[in-house]
Amino acid sequence: IEQTEFSQAGSAAQTWINGEEAKLLGFEFEGGKTFDFLHPNLRRLSLQTNVTYFPISETNVPTAIVGGLETQQTNTKRGAADVPGFIVNAALEYTIPDTMTARLLYSTVGSTLIRAGALGLPDTFEKRYDVLDAVLTIPLQRWFDAPVSLQLSAENITNDQIRRVQGDLETY
């Protein structure tokens, strides 16, 4: 299912249509490791990561008739919408059981087609971006007789802006 546009009363209206054909091939790798192999005192420190890679992402979405009007996408054959070239996630975590868990999270997402171009305009892409978050979780169950915890977080610490590009036009 892909988002597309059609001309209605002189302006572009959006709709969703089914693609005729799509090819998607991806691989995902995941791993985790504690750091006690370096020193026994590092047994509470761990790293988890996963990587997803999409070497093939193609779709064929021919023009269609929606409500009696023809869709106007510029490219009928293109990369699949909302499928980035890659995704990398990593979490560095330090845990003291029943006391606290501190977690540093990193994520990066490759360039992604987010909207098919219409009426001769090029497709729109979100460019690669990175996100770094920090989370501190403190269990409060020892003070409350219930599974309650306090969580403090700082999100997008690097303040990496998500850039959208359509041809030569770039927005944030």
Side-chain angles (χ1 to χ4, degrees):
I1 297 177
E2 298 250 347
Q3 185 178 13
T4 189
E5 295 181 353
F6 58 92
S7 182
Q8 183 179 41
S11 64
Q14 299 172 7
T15 189
W16 296 89
I17 60 173
N18 289 324
E20 188 174 272
E21 178 184 18
K23 293 179 185 175
L24 184 62
L25 175 66
F27 303 96
E28 183 172 9
F29 305 95
E30 184 173 297
K33 183 70 177 153
T34 59
F35 286 84
D36 56 352
F37 69 95
L38 294 174
H39 193 279
N41 289 344
L42 296 177
R43 72 183 179 281
R44 295 180 174 150
L45 183 64
S46 64
L47 175 69
Q48 300 90 32
T49 187
N50 74 344
V51 176
T52 305
Y53 174 62
F54 295 102
I56 298 175
S57 168
E58 303 168 356
T59 189
N60 180 13
V61 184
T63 57
I65 304 299
V66 177
L69 300 170
E70 185 175 19
T71 58
Q72 304 290 316
Q73 62 267 32
T74 300
N75 302 308
T76 58
K77 293 184 181 194
R78 59 181 175 272
D82 299 320
V83 179
F86 66 88
I87 304 168
V88 177
N89 295 300
L92 186 64
E93 181 175 288
Y94 185 78
T95 299
I96 302 173
D98 300 322
T99 304
M100 69 96 187
T101 298
R103 187 176 296 129
L104 200 59
L105 303 147
Y106 170 76
S107 181
T108 185
V109 179
S111 184
T112 307
L113 171 69
I114 60 167
R115 184 181 202 152
L119 302 169
L121 294 173
D123 298 336
T124 303
F125 293 87
E126 273 187 359
K127 302 308 280 181
R128 178 181 173 255
Y129 63 93
D130 303 291
V131 176
L132 182 65
D133 299 338
V135 180
L136 177 65
T137 303
I138 301 169
L140 303 176
Q141 188 163 355
R142 61 184 153 190
W143 294 291
F144 302 99
D145 194 23
V148 177
S149 62
L150 172 67
Q151 190 172 68
L152 305 169
S153 64
E155 298 177 349
N156 196 14
I157 296 168
T158 58
N159 196 28
D160 197 7
Q161 301 296 305
I162 296 176
R163 298 175 320 175
R164 292 185 174 173
V165 176
Q166 184 180 31
D168 294 334
L169 176 66
E170 184 170 334
T171 61
Y172 292 88

